[in-house]
Amino acid sequence: MAENGLLEVPRGLDKVVVDTTSIAATDKDGWLIYRGYKATELAAKLHFEKAAYLVVYGSIPNDAKLKRFSSFLESNSSIDGATDEVIGLLPMDAKVIDGVRSVVSMLPLRQKKPDMQMLEMAAKMPRIISNCYRAKRSMKPLGCIEGNYAERFYYLLTGKEDVESARYFERLLILYMEHEFNASTFALRVTASTLADPQAAFTTALATIKGPLHGGANAEILNYMLKMKRKSEAVELVDRKLGNKEKIMGFGHRIYKTMDPRAQFIKGQLRTLSKSRKMGKLLEMAEAVEKEMWVKKGLPANLDFYAAIYMYLLGIDEAFYTPIFAAARSFGWAAHYMEQVANNKLIRPDSRYTGRTGLKL
Ligand code: ACO
């Protein structure tokens, strides 16, 4: 206990519980669970819409509810011409995630209720991401295709109607969807706790997910993985980076200290994917880096490490990686916005002042 009856907690709120949630948690065996179900099992067995409904509303939907939810996502997925004009005005060197943040902050919303507004923004994310990317490359926006959320999203990223790749992609989207009080969600809850509107809270989360210690990590992993030619270079890569006191993106996690179950699930998926794409070498090198990081630093690979390689094999441009994470996580954000405002308490911690006192002019 600090002076004045204040409770002093570790920096970065490490191992501090700040509130309750019934949306997600890591259970005592280290599995990430969404509303009571293992996230990896949901990824293996469900389509994105069903898992998203579960995260947002707390239970598996019946057919009628699922149909309503899926058609809401589809019918709210487009953006108007004025928004496309704004996308055209973004600086040429704007990253896709910056474009998405700017566009979402001024998006005209059709829905009136806060929970529906959160879902409307989530529904529009694939289209905004695709159009932001294409506008900066002087490419026309892609049209619409028939299909489920993952198939439509995959098409907007690659221009390909490919059900098999979209199903692989969907599993990753489900694993990216939710992770209790991670940094972007917590930031969103801080904004929601001031009773700011959903759009303000969503924009806060988008700004926070960009950082390389959070959602920005996946975009940096290929930078070093694609430079490797053989797995024997893993030792040298890890030694060099650790020797330079560099952080190796894709390793370490605030919650998972020995194993990230999402990373291991995606690694399993990568085994079949890389066989069918005849691109097994990258996975071999990745496993060598993972092994070396464990030996040298005792840090496990996190989801982003294998996700980056997975998306590369699925033919998705690196510029999309962080925005994809944000699009999937936006359904978790919707659930957290509603949970925060339903039982609100302003989030406003105190601080310990270390500056000077008693100065006089
Ligand atoms: N490479 C090298 N060293 C690392 C790494 C890493 N990736 N991660 C942690 N460490 C080291 C730290 O330098 C620190 O070492 P020290 O005790 O010698 O000073 C120790 O491990 C503890 O690390 P912290 O950063 O204090 O751990 P924290 O829980 O605060 O951070 C974080 C977790 C931010 C994810 C960290 O592991 C990291 O920066 N990783 C790289 C970025 C990354 O991959 N982010 C994606 C997260 S997963 C996701 O968002 C889906």
Side-chain angles (χ1 to χ4, degrees), residues 26 28-31 251-261 263-264 290 293-294 298-302:
T26 301
K28 61 179 177 22
D29 300 318
W31 295 99
F251 287 89
H253 198 275
R254 179 57 69 80
I255 307 288
Y256 303 118
K257 295 303 177 194
T258 53
M259 193 268 293
D260 179 340
Q264 297 309 312
E290 181 186 19
M293 271 301 273
W294 185 251
L299 289 173
N302 59 45

mmCIF file with all atom_site columns, all heavy atoms in Angstrom, residues 26 28-31 251-261 263-264 290 293-294 298-302:
data_model
loop_
_atom_site.group_PDB
_atom_site.id
_atom_site.type_symbol
_atom_site.label_atom_id
_atom_site.label_alt_id
_atom_site.label_comp_id
_atom_site.label_asym_id
_atom_site.label_entity_id
_atom_site.label_seq_id
_atom_site.pdbx_PDB_ins_code
_atom_site.Cartn_x
_atom_site.Cartn_y
_atom_site.Cartn_z
_atom_site.occupancy
_atom_site.B_iso_or_equiv
_atom_site.pdbx_formal_charge
_atom_site.auth_seq_id
_atom_site.auth_comp_id
_atom_site.auth_asym_id
_atom_site.auth_atom_id
_atom_site.pdbx_PDB_model_num
ATOM 1   N N   . THR A 1 26  ? -8.195 -17.303 -19.949 1.00 0.00 ? 26  THR A N   1
ATOM 2   C CA  . THR A 1 26  ? -7.315 -18.453 -20.129 1.00 0.00 ? 26  THR A CA  1
ATOM 3   C C   . THR A 1 26  ? -7.556 -19.341 -18.917 1.00 0.00 ? 26  THR A C   1
ATOM 4   O O   . THR A 1 26  ? -7.433 -18.877 -17.778 1.00 0.00 ? 26  THR A O   1
ATOM 5   C CB  . THR A 1 26  ? -5.844 -17.990 -20.203 1.00 0.00 ? 26  THR A CB  1
ATOM 6   O OG1 . THR A 1 26  ? -5.732 -17.087 -21.307 1.00 0.00 ? 26  THR A OG1 1
ATOM 7   C CG2 . THR A 1 26  ? -4.910 -19.155 -20.430 1.00 0.00 ? 26  THR A CG2 1
ATOM 8   N N   . LYS A 1 28  ? -7.264 -22.760 -16.253 1.00 0.00 ? 28  LYS A N   1
ATOM 9   C CA  . LYS A 1 28  ? -6.124 -23.182 -15.422 1.00 0.00 ? 28  LYS A CA  1
ATOM 10  C C   . LYS A 1 28  ? -5.156 -24.097 -16.183 1.00 0.00 ? 28  LYS A C   1
ATOM 11  O O   . LYS A 1 28  ? -4.003 -24.211 -15.805 1.00 0.00 ? 28  LYS A O   1
ATOM 12  C CB  . LYS A 1 28  ? -6.602 -23.837 -14.123 1.00 0.00 ? 28  LYS A CB  1
ATOM 13  C CG  . LYS A 1 28  ? -7.444 -25.084 -14.306 1.00 0.00 ? 28  LYS A CG  1
ATOM 14  C CD  . LYS A 1 28  ? -7.837 -25.662 -12.954 1.00 0.00 ? 28  LYS A CD  1
ATOM 15  C CE  . LYS A 1 28  ? -8.741 -26.869 -13.031 1.00 0.00 ? 28  LYS A CE  1
ATOM 16  N NZ  . LYS A 1 28  ? -8.800 -27.685 -14.211 1.00 0.00 ? 28  LYS A NZ  1
ATOM 17  N N   . ASP A 1 29  ? -5.620 -24.716 -17.270 1.00 0.00 ? 29  ASP A N   1
ATOM 18  C CA  . ASP A 1 29  ? -4.718 -25.563 -18.063 1.00 0.00 ? 29  ASP A CA  1
ATOM 19  C C   . ASP A 1 29  ? -4.068 -24.801 -19.222 1.00 0.00 ? 29  ASP A C   1
ATOM 20  O O   . ASP A 1 29  ? -3.409 -25.402 -20.076 1.00 0.00 ? 29  ASP A O   1
ATOM 21  C CB  . ASP A 1 29  ? -5.491 -26.773 -18.616 1.00 0.00 ? 29  ASP A CB  1
ATOM 22  C CG  . ASP A 1 29  ? -6.068 -27.618 -17.484 1.00 0.00 ? 29  ASP A CG  1
ATOM 23  O OD1 . ASP A 1 29  ? -5.348 -27.829 -16.490 1.00 0.00 ? 29  ASP A OD1 1
ATOM 24  O OD2 . ASP A 1 29  ? -7.237 -28.030 -17.579 1.00 0.00 ? 29  ASP A OD2 1
ATOM 25  N N   . GLY A 1 30  ? -4.292 -23.494 -19.270 1.00 0.00 ? 30  GLY A N   1
ATOM 26  C CA  . GLY A 1 30  ? -3.628 -22.686 -20.306 1.00 0.00 ? 30  GLY A CA  1
ATOM 27  C C   . GLY A 1 30  ? -4.383 -22.565 -21.613 1.00 0.00 ? 30  GLY A C   1
ATOM 28  O O   . GLY A 1 30  ? -3.839 -22.079 -22.602 1.00 0.00 ? 30  GLY A O   1
ATOM 29  N N   . TRP A 1 31  ? -5.654 -23.012 -21.653 1.00 0.00 ? 31  TRP A N   1
ATOM 30  C CA  . TRP A 1 31  ? -6.435 -22.894 -22.889 1.00 0.00 ? 31  TRP A CA  1
ATOM 31  C C   . TRP A 1 31  ? -7.193 -21.581 -22.897 1.00 0.00 ? 31  TRP A C   1
ATOM 32  O O   . TRP A 1 31  ? -7.762 -21.180 -21.880 1.00 0.00 ? 31  TRP A O   1
ATOM 33  C CB  . TRP A 1 31  ? -7.458 -24.034 -23.003 1.00 0.00 ? 31  TRP A CB  1
ATOM 34  C CG  . TRP A 1 31  ? -6.822 -25.372 -23.149 1.00 0.00 ? 31  TRP A CG  1
ATOM 35  C CD1 . TRP A 1 31  ? -6.619 -26.286 -22.155 1.00 0.00 ? 31  TRP A CD1 1
ATOM 36  C CD2 . TRP A 1 31  ? -6.270 -25.932 -24.342 1.00 0.00 ? 31  TRP A CD2 1
ATOM 37  N NE1 . TRP A 1 31  ? -5.974 -27.392 -22.667 1.00 0.00 ? 31  TRP A NE1 1
ATOM 38  C CE2 . TRP A 1 31  ? -5.751 -27.207 -24.008 1.00 0.00 ? 31  TRP A CE2 1
ATOM 39  C CE3 . TRP A 1 31  ? -6.170 -25.481 -25.669 1.00 0.00 ? 31  TRP A CE3 1
ATOM 40  C CZ2 . TRP A 1 31  ? -5.129 -28.023 -24.944 1.00 0.00 ? 31  TRP A CZ2 1
ATOM 41  C CZ3 . TRP A 1 31  ? -5.551 -26.307 -26.596 1.00 0.00 ? 31  TRP A CZ3 1
ATOM 42  C CH2 . TRP A 1 31  ? -5.045 -27.561 -26.226 1.00 0.00 ? 31  TRP A CH2 1
ATOM 43  N N   . PHE A 1 251 ? 7.334  -13.581 -30.378 1.00 0.00 ? 251 PHE A N   1
ATOM 44  C CA  . PHE A 1 251 ? 7.690  -14.374 -29.197 1.00 0.00 ? 251 PHE A CA  1
ATOM 45  C C   . PHE A 1 251 ? 7.345  -13.633 -27.914 1.00 0.00 ? 251 PHE A C   1
ATOM 46  O O   . PHE A 1 251 ? 7.437  -12.407 -27.858 1.00 0.00 ? 251 PHE A O   1
ATOM 47  C CB  . PHE A 1 251 ? 9.186  -14.737 -29.216 1.00 0.00 ? 251 PHE A CB  1
ATOM 48  C CG  . PHE A 1 251 ? 9.456  -15.785 -30.245 1.00 0.00 ? 251 PHE A CG  1
ATOM 49  C CD1 . PHE A 1 251 ? 9.757  -15.431 -31.543 1.00 0.00 ? 251 PHE A CD1 1
ATOM 50  C CD2 . PHE A 1 251 ? 9.317  -17.130 -29.927 1.00 0.00 ? 251 PHE A CD2 1
ATOM 51  C CE1 . PHE A 1 251 ? 9.934  -16.390 -32.521 1.00 0.00 ? 251 PHE A CE1 1
ATOM 52  C CE2 . PHE A 1 251 ? 9.493  -18.100 -30.897 1.00 0.00 ? 251 PHE A CE2 1
ATOM 53  C CZ  . PHE A 1 251 ? 9.807  -17.735 -32.199 1.00 0.00 ? 251 PHE A CZ  1
ATOM 54  N N   . GLY A 1 252 ? 6.960  -14.412 -26.916 1.00 0.00 ? 252 GLY A N   1
ATOM 55  C CA  . GLY A 1 252 ? 6.622  -13.842 -25.613 1.00 0.00 ? 252 GLY A CA  1
ATOM 56  C C   . GLY A 1 252 ? 5.153  -13.470 -25.559 1.00 0.00 ? 252 GLY A C   1
ATOM 57  O O   . GLY A 1 252 ? 4.504  -13.243 -26.599 1.00 0.00 ? 252 GLY A O   1
ATOM 58  N N   . HIS A 1 253 ? 4.623  -13.468 -24.385 1.00 0.00 ? 253 HIS A N   1
ATOM 59  C CA  . HIS A 1 253 ? 3.216  -13.093 -24.198 1.00 0.00 ? 253 HIS A CA  1
ATOM 60  C C   . HIS A 1 253 ? 2.987  -12.787 -22.731 1.00 0.00 ? 253 HIS A C   1
ATOM 61  O O   . HIS A 1 253 ? 3.566  -13.429 -21.863 1.00 0.00 ? 253 HIS A O   1
ATOM 62  C CB  . HIS A 1 253 ? 2.282  -14.230 -24.646 1.00 0.00 ? 253 HIS A CB  1
ATOM 63  C CG  . HIS A 1 253 ? 0.885  -13.767 -24.875 1.00 0.00 ? 253 HIS A CG  1
ATOM 64  N ND1 . HIS A 1 253 ? -0.034 -13.665 -23.863 1.00 0.00 ? 253 HIS A ND1 1
ATOM 65  C CD2 . HIS A 1 253 ? 0.260  -13.345 -26.010 1.00 0.00 ? 253 HIS A CD2 1
ATOM 66  C CE1 . HIS A 1 253 ? -1.167 -13.206 -24.365 1.00 0.00 ? 253 HIS A CE1 1
ATOM 67  N NE2 . HIS A 1 253 ? -1.022 -12.995 -25.655 1.00 0.00 ? 253 HIS A NE2 1
ATOM 68  N N   . ARG A 1 254 ? 2.137  -11.800 -22.474 1.00 0.00 ? 254 ARG A N   1
ATOM 69  C CA  . ARG A 1 254 ? 1.844  -11.436 -21.093 1.00 0.00 ? 254 ARG A CA  1
ATOM 70  C C   . ARG A 1 254 ? 1.170  -12.586 -20.323 1.00 0.00 ? 254 ARG A C   1
ATOM 71  O O   . ARG A 1 254 ? 1.428  -12.802 -19.144 1.00 0.00 ? 254 ARG A O   1
ATOM 72  C CB  . ARG A 1 254 ? 0.955  -10.182 -21.083 1.00 0.00 ? 254 ARG A CB  1
ATOM 73  C CG  . ARG A 1 254 ? 0.533  -9.674  -19.735 1.00 0.00 ? 254 ARG A CG  1
ATOM 74  C CD  . ARG A 1 254 ? 1.700  -9.354  -18.814 1.00 0.00 ? 254 ARG A CD  1
ATOM 75  N NE  . ARG A 1 254 ? 2.517  -8.236  -19.166 1.00 0.00 ? 254 ARG A NE  1
ATOM 76  C CZ  . ARG A 1 254 ? 2.232  -6.950  -18.934 1.00 0.00 ? 254 ARG A CZ  1
ATOM 77  N NH1 . ARG A 1 254 ? 1.108  -6.608  -18.378 1.00 0.00 ? 254 ARG A NH1 1
ATOM 78  N NH2 . ARG A 1 254 ? 3.103  -6.016  -19.267 1.00 0.00 ? 254 ARG A NH2 1
ATOM 79  N N   . ILE A 1 255 ? 0.335  -13.355 -20.995 1.00 0.00 ? 255 ILE A N   1
ATOM 80  C CA  . ILE A 1 255 ? -0.412 -14.433 -20.316 1.00 0.00 ? 255 ILE A CA  1
ATOM 81  C C   . ILE A 1 255 ? 0.266  -15.791 -20.507 1.00 0.00 ? 255 ILE A C   1
ATOM 82  O O   . ILE A 1 255 ? 0.392  -16.565 -19.563 1.00 0.00 ? 255 ILE A O   1
ATOM 83  C CB  . ILE A 1 255 ? -1.866 -14.530 -20.860 1.00 0.00 ? 255 ILE A CB  1
ATOM 84  C CG1 . ILE A 1 255 ? -2.572 -13.162 -20.790 1.00 0.00 ? 255 ILE A CG1 1
ATOM 85  C CG2 . ILE A 1 255 ? -2.667 -15.624 -20.143 1.00 0.00 ? 255 ILE A CG2 1
ATOM 86  C CD1 . ILE A 1 255 ? -2.954 -12.670 -19.424 1.00 0.00 ? 255 ILE A CD1 1
ATOM 87  N N   . TYR A 1 256 ? 0.683  -16.100 -21.749 1.00 0.00 ? 256 TYR A N   1
ATOM 88  C CA  . TYR A 1 256 ? 1.229  -17.440 -22.022 1.00 0.00 ? 256 TYR A CA  1
ATOM 89  C C   . TYR A 1 256 ? 2.733  -17.448 -21.822 1.00 0.00 ? 256 TYR A C   1
ATOM 90  O O   . TYR A 1 256 ? 3.461  -16.875 -22.622 1.00 0.00 ? 256 TYR A O   1
ATOM 91  C CB  . TYR A 1 256 ? 0.893  -17.865 -23.460 1.00 0.00 ? 256 TYR A CB  1
ATOM 92  C CG  . TYR A 1 256 ? -0.590 -17.841 -23.718 1.00 0.00 ? 256 TYR A CG  1
ATOM 93  C CD1 . TYR A 1 256 ? -1.139 -17.007 -24.676 1.00 0.00 ? 256 TYR A CD1 1
ATOM 94  C CD2 . TYR A 1 256 ? -1.449 -18.645 -22.969 1.00 0.00 ? 256 TYR A CD2 1
ATOM 95  C CE1 . TYR A 1 256 ? -2.507 -16.972 -24.891 1.00 0.00 ? 256 TYR A CE1 1
ATOM 96  C CE2 . TYR A 1 256 ? -2.817 -18.610 -23.167 1.00 0.00 ? 256 TYR A CE2 1
ATOM 97  C CZ  . TYR A 1 256 ? -3.340 -17.770 -24.128 1.00 0.00 ? 256 TYR A CZ  1
ATOM 98  O OH  . TYR A 1 256 ? -4.686 -17.726 -24.329 1.00 0.00 ? 256 TYR A OH  1
ATOM 99  N N   . LYS A 1 257 ? 3.181  -18.083 -20.773 1.00 0.00 ? 257 LYS A N   1
ATOM 100 C CA  . LYS A 1 257 ? 4.606  -18.083 -20.479 1.00 0.00 ? 257 LYS A CA  1
ATOM 101 C C   . LYS A 1 257 ? 5.311  -19.339 -20.999 1.00 0.00 ? 257 LYS A C   1
ATOM 102 O O   . LYS A 1 257 ? 6.531  -19.349 -21.156 1.00 0.00 ? 257 LYS A O   1
ATOM 103 C CB  . LYS A 1 257 ? 4.831  -17.930 -18.957 1.00 0.00 ? 257 LYS A CB  1
ATOM 104 C CG  . LYS A 1 257 ? 4.347  -16.579 -18.418 1.00 0.00 ? 257 LYS A CG  1
ATOM 105 C CD  . LYS A 1 257 ? 5.032  -15.394 -19.144 1.00 0.00 ? 257 LYS A CD  1
ATOM 106 C CE  . LYS A 1 257 ? 4.532  -14.039 -18.698 1.00 0.00 ? 257 LYS A CE  1
ATOM 107 N NZ  . LYS A 1 257 ? 4.935  -12.939 -19.589 1.00 0.00 ? 257 LYS A NZ  1
ATOM 108 N N   . THR A 1 258 ? 4.552  -20.423 -21.224 1.00 0.00 ? 258 THR A N   1
ATOM 109 C CA  . THR A 1 258 ? 5.209  -21.628 -21.758 1.00 0.00 ? 258 THR A CA  1
ATOM 110 C C   . THR A 1 258 ? 4.640  -22.045 -23.118 1.00 0.00 ? 258 THR A C   1
ATOM 111 O O   . THR A 1 258 ? 5.352  -22.593 -23.949 1.00 0.00 ? 258 THR A O   1
ATOM 112 C CB  . THR A 1 258 ? 5.065  -22.829 -20.786 1.00 0.00 ? 258 THR A CB  1
ATOM 113 O OG1 . THR A 1 258 ? 3.676  -22.988 -20.471 1.00 0.00 ? 258 THR A OG1 1
ATOM 114 C CG2 . THR A 1 258 ? 5.847  -22.600 -19.504 1.00 0.00 ? 258 THR A CG2 1
ATOM 115 N N   . MET A 1 259 ? 3.345  -21.785 -23.340 1.00 0.00 ? 259 MET A N   1
ATOM 116 C CA  . MET A 1 259 ? 2.744  -22.229 -24.602 1.00 0.00 ? 259 MET A CA  1
ATOM 117 C C   . MET A 1 259 ? 1.517  -21.375 -24.918 1.00 0.00 ? 259 MET A C   1
ATOM 118 O O   . MET A 1 259 ? 0.674  -21.174 -24.055 1.00 0.00 ? 259 MET A O   1
ATOM 119 C CB  . MET A 1 259 ? 2.337  -23.693 -24.427 1.00 0.00 ? 259 MET A CB  1
ATOM 120 C CG  . MET A 1 259 ? 1.978  -24.451 -25.680 1.00 0.00 ? 259 MET A CG  1
ATOM 121 S SD  . MET A 1 259 ? 0.225  -24.424 -26.103 1.00 0.00 ? 259 MET A SD  1
ATOM 122 C CE  . MET A 1 259 ? -0.529 -25.359 -24.803 1.00 0.00 ? 259 MET A CE  1
ATOM 123 N N   . ASP A 1 260 ? 1.457  -20.875 -26.162 1.00 0.00 ? 260 ASP A N   1
ATOM 124 C CA  . ASP A 1 260 ? 0.260  -20.168 -26.620 1.00 0.00 ? 260 ASP A CA  1
ATOM 125 C C   . ASP A 1 260 ? -0.556 -21.188 -27.419 1.00 0.00 ? 260 ASP A C   1
ATOM 126 O O   . ASP A 1 260 ? -0.130 -21.609 -28.503 1.00 0.00 ? 260 ASP A O   1
ATOM 127 C CB  . ASP A 1 260 ? 0.687  -18.973 -27.498 1.00 0.00 ? 260 ASP A CB  1
ATOM 128 C CG  . ASP A 1 260 ? -0.517 -18.175 -28.038 1.00 0.00 ? 260 ASP A CG  1
ATOM 129 O OD1 . ASP A 1 260 ? -1.631 -18.726 -28.059 1.00 0.00 ? 260 ASP A OD1 1
ATOM 130 O OD2 . ASP A 1 260 ? -0.305 -17.012 -28.442 1.00 0.00 ? 260 ASP A OD2 1
ATOM 131 N N   . PRO A 1 261 ? -1.699 -21.619 -26.885 1.00 0.00 ? 261 PRO A N   1
ATOM 132 C CA  . PRO A 1 261 ? -2.449 -22.691 -27.563 1.00 0.00 ? 261 PRO A CA  1
ATOM 133 C C   . PRO A 1 261 ? -2.888 -22.305 -28.967 1.00 0.00 ? 261 PRO A C   1
ATOM 134 O O   . PRO A 1 261 ? -3.013 -23.157 -29.851 1.00 0.00 ? 261 PRO A O   1
ATOM 135 C CB  . PRO A 1 261 ? -3.672 -22.904 -26.652 1.00 0.00 ? 261 PRO A CB  1
ATOM 136 C CG  . PRO A 1 261 ? -3.807 -21.654 -25.851 1.00 0.00 ? 261 PRO A CG  1
ATOM 137 C CD  . PRO A 1 261 ? -2.423 -21.097 -25.710 1.00 0.00 ? 261 PRO A CD  1
ATOM 138 N N   . ALA A 1 263 ? -1.153 -20.467 -31.090 1.00 0.00 ? 263 ALA A N   1
ATOM 139 C CA  . ALA A 1 263 ? 0.010  -20.615 -31.983 1.00 0.00 ? 263 ALA A CA  1
ATOM 140 C C   . ALA A 1 263 ? 0.192  -22.082 -32.352 1.00 0.00 ? 263 ALA A C   1
ATOM 141 O O   . ALA A 1 263 ? 0.469  -22.408 -33.517 1.00 0.00 ? 263 ALA A O   1
ATOM 142 C CB  . ALA A 1 263 ? 1.261  -20.083 -31.290 1.00 0.00 ? 263 ALA A CB  1
ATOM 143 N N   . GLN A 1 264 ? 0.007  -22.963 -31.370 1.00 0.00 ? 264 GLN A N   1
ATOM 144 C CA  . GLN A 1 264 ? 0.204  -24.391 -31.639 1.00 0.00 ? 264 GLN A CA  1
ATOM 145 C C   . GLN A 1 264 ? -0.883 -24.916 -32.572 1.00 0.00 ? 264 GLN A C   1
ATOM 146 O O   . GLN A 1 264 ? -0.629 -25.765 -33.420 1.00 0.00 ? 264 GLN A O   1
ATOM 147 C CB  . GLN A 1 264 ? 0.255  -25.174 -30.322 1.00 0.00 ? 264 GLN A CB  1
ATOM 148 C CG  . GLN A 1 264 ? 1.438  -24.787 -29.430 1.00 0.00 ? 264 GLN A CG  1
ATOM 149 C CD  . GLN A 1 264 ? 2.779  -24.821 -30.180 1.00 0.00 ? 264 GLN A CD  1
ATOM 150 O OE1 . GLN A 1 264 ? 3.100  -25.781 -30.877 1.00 0.00 ? 264 GLN A OE1 1
ATOM 151 N NE2 . GLN A 1 264 ? 3.574  -23.759 -30.056 1.00 0.00 ? 264 GLN A NE2 1
ATOM 152 N N   . GLU A 1 290 ? 11.615 -21.222 -33.356 1.00 0.00 ? 290 GLU A N   1
ATOM 153 C CA  . GLU A 1 290 ? 10.829 -21.427 -32.123 1.00 0.00 ? 290 GLU A CA  1
ATOM 154 C C   . GLU A 1 290 ? 11.644 -22.214 -31.096 1.00 0.00 ? 290 GLU A C   1
ATOM 155 O O   . GLU A 1 290 ? 11.710 -21.850 -29.915 1.00 0.00 ? 290 GLU A O   1
ATOM 156 C CB  . GLU A 1 290 ? 9.536  -22.189 -32.472 1.00 0.00 ? 290 GLU A CB  1
ATOM 157 C CG  . GLU A 1 290 ? 8.637  -22.422 -31.264 1.00 0.00 ? 290 GLU A CG  1
ATOM 158 C CD  . GLU A 1 290 ? 7.426  -23.313 -31.572 1.00 0.00 ? 290 GLU A CD  1
ATOM 159 O OE1 . GLU A 1 290 ? 7.426  -24.041 -32.584 1.00 0.00 ? 290 GLU A OE1 1
ATOM 160 O OE2 . GLU A 1 290 ? 6.487  -23.283 -30.773 1.00 0.00 ? 290 GLU A OE2 1
ATOM 161 N N   . MET A 1 293 ? 14.513 -20.056 -29.678 1.00 0.00 ? 293 MET A N   1
ATOM 162 C CA  . MET A 1 293 ? 14.027 -19.022 -28.737 1.00 0.00 ? 293 MET A CA  1
ATOM 163 C C   . MET A 1 293 ? 13.698 -19.641 -27.377 1.00 0.00 ? 293 MET A C   1
ATOM 164 O O   . MET A 1 293 ? 13.883 -19.025 -26.339 1.00 0.00 ? 293 MET A O   1
ATOM 165 C CB  . MET A 1 293 ? 12.776 -18.325 -29.288 1.00 0.00 ? 293 MET A CB  1
ATOM 166 C CG  . MET A 1 293 ? 13.070 -17.131 -30.140 1.00 0.00 ? 293 MET A CG  1
ATOM 167 S SD  . MET A 1 293 ? 14.009 -15.850 -29.279 1.00 0.00 ? 293 MET A SD  1
ATOM 168 C CE  . MET A 1 293 ? 12.718 -14.893 -28.513 1.00 0.00 ? 293 MET A CE  1
ATOM 169 N N   . TRP A 1 294 ? 13.193 -20.840 -27.425 1.00 0.00 ? 294 TRP A N   1
ATOM 170 C CA  . TRP A 1 294 ? 12.866 -21.514 -26.168 1.00 0.00 ? 294 TRP A CA  1
ATOM 171 C C   . TRP A 1 294 ? 14.159 -21.853 -25.401 1.00 0.00 ? 294 TRP A C   1
ATOM 172 O O   . TRP A 1 294 ? 14.283 -21.609 -24.201 1.00 0.00 ? 294 TRP A O   1
ATOM 173 C CB  . TRP A 1 294 ? 12.011 -22.769 -26.434 1.00 0.00 ? 294 TRP A CB  1
ATOM 174 C CG  . TRP A 1 294 ? 11.577 -23.391 -25.145 1.00 0.00 ? 294 TRP A CG  1
ATOM 175 C CD1 . TRP A 1 294 ? 12.021 -24.560 -24.615 1.00 0.00 ? 294 TRP A CD1 1
ATOM 176 C CD2 . TRP A 1 294 ? 10.639 -22.847 -24.194 1.00 0.00 ? 294 TRP A CD2 1
ATOM 177 N NE1 . TRP A 1 294 ? 11.422 -24.788 -23.399 1.00 0.00 ? 294 TRP A NE1 1
ATOM 178 C CE2 . TRP A 1 294 ? 10.567 -23.754 -23.117 1.00 0.00 ? 294 TRP A CE2 1
ATOM 179 C CE3 . TRP A 1 294 ? 9.865  -21.680 -24.149 1.00 0.00 ? 294 TRP A CE3 1
ATOM 180 C CZ2 . TRP A 1 294 ? 9.748  -23.535 -21.999 1.00 0.00 ? 294 TRP A CZ2 1
ATOM 181 C CZ3 . TRP A 1 294 ? 9.053  -21.460 -23.043 1.00 0.00 ? 294 TRP A CZ3 1
ATOM 182 C CH2 . TRP A 1 294 ? 9.002  -22.378 -21.988 1.00 0.00 ? 294 TRP A CH2 1
ATOM 183 N N   . GLY A 1 298 ? 13.794 -18.932 -23.258 1.00 0.00 ? 298 GLY A N   1
ATOM 184 C CA  . GLY A 1 298 ? 12.643 -19.483 -22.531 1.00 0.00 ? 298 GLY A CA  1
ATOM 185 C C   . GLY A 1 298 ? 11.335 -18.802 -22.888 1.00 0.00 ? 298 GLY A C   1
ATOM 186 O O   . GLY A 1 298 ? 10.433 -18.696 -22.062 1.00 0.00 ? 298 GLY A O   1
ATOM 187 N N   . LEU A 1 299 ? 11.236 -18.319 -24.141 1.00 0.00 ? 299 LEU A N   1
ATOM 188 C CA  . LEU A 1 299 ? 10.002 -17.654 -24.567 1.00 0.00 ? 299 LEU A CA  1
ATOM 189 C C   . LEU A 1 299 ? 9.286  -18.494 -25.622 1.00 0.00 ? 299 LEU A C   1
ATOM 190 O O   . LEU A 1 299 ? 9.905  -18.958 -26.586 1.00 0.00 ? 299 LEU A O   1
ATOM 191 C CB  . LEU A 1 299 ? 10.311 -16.275 -25.175 1.00 0.00 ? 299 LEU A CB  1
ATOM 192 C CG  . LEU A 1 299 ? 10.763 -15.183 -24.211 1.00 0.00 ? 299 LEU A CG  1
ATOM 193 C CD1 . LEU A 1 299 ? 11.196 -13.960 -24.997 1.00 0.00 ? 299 LEU A CD1 1
ATOM 194 C CD2 . LEU A 1 299 ? 9.652  -14.816 -23.232 1.00 0.00 ? 299 LEU A CD2 1
ATOM 195 N N   . PRO A 1 300 ? 7.962  -18.660 -25.487 1.00 0.00 ? 300 PRO A N   1
ATOM 196 C CA  . PRO A 1 300 ? 7.213  -19.429 -26.487 1.00 0.00 ? 300 PRO A CA  1
ATOM 197 C C   . PRO A 1 300 ? 6.816  -18.568 -27.684 1.00 0.00 ? 300 PRO A C   1
ATOM 198 O O   . PRO A 1 300 ? 6.713  -17.345 -27.564 1.00 0.00 ? 300 PRO A O   1
ATOM 199 C CB  . PRO A 1 300 ? 5.964  -19.858 -25.709 1.00 0.00 ? 300 PRO A CB  1
ATOM 200 C CG  . PRO A 1 300 ? 5.734  -18.739 -24.745 1.00 0.00 ? 300 PRO A CG  1
ATOM 201 C CD  . PRO A 1 300 ? 7.107  -18.180 -24.377 1.00 0.00 ? 300 PRO A CD  1
ATOM 202 N N   . ALA A 1 301 ? 6.573  -19.236 -28.802 1.00 0.00 ? 301 ALA A N   1
ATOM 203 C CA  . ALA A 1 301 ? 6.019  -18.526 -29.970 1.00 0.00 ? 301 ALA A CA  1
ATOM 204 C C   . ALA A 1 301 ? 4.595  -18.121 -29.628 1.00 0.00 ? 301 ALA A C   1
ATOM 205 O O   . ALA A 1 301 ? 3.858  -18.892 -29.025 1.00 0.00 ? 301 ALA A O   1
ATOM 206 C CB  . ALA A 1 301 ? 6.025  -19.456 -31.175 1.00 0.00 ? 301 ALA A CB  1
ATOM 207 N N   . ASN A 1 302 ? 4.220  -16.892 -29.990 1.00 0.00 ? 302 ASN A N   1
ATOM 208 C CA  . ASN A 1 302 ? 2.822  -16.486 -29.789 1.00 0.00 ? 302 ASN A CA  1
ATOM 209 C C   . ASN A 1 302 ? 2.053  -16.646 -31.103 1.00 0.00 ? 302 ASN A C   1
ATOM 210 O O   . ASN A 1 302 ? 2.632  -16.969 -32.149 1.00 0.00 ? 302 ASN A O   1
ATOM 211 C CB  . ASN A 1 302 ? 2.732  -15.069 -29.203 1.00 0.00 ? 302 ASN A CB  1
ATOM 212 C CG  . ASN A 1 302 ? 3.392  -14.019 -30.079 1.00 0.00 ? 302 ASN A CG  1
ATOM 213 O OD1 . ASN A 1 302 ? 3.202  -14.004 -31.293 1.00 0.00 ? 302 ASN A OD1 1
ATOM 214 N ND2 . ASN A 1 302 ? 4.171  -13.133 -29.458 1.00 0.00 ? 302 ASN A ND2 1
#
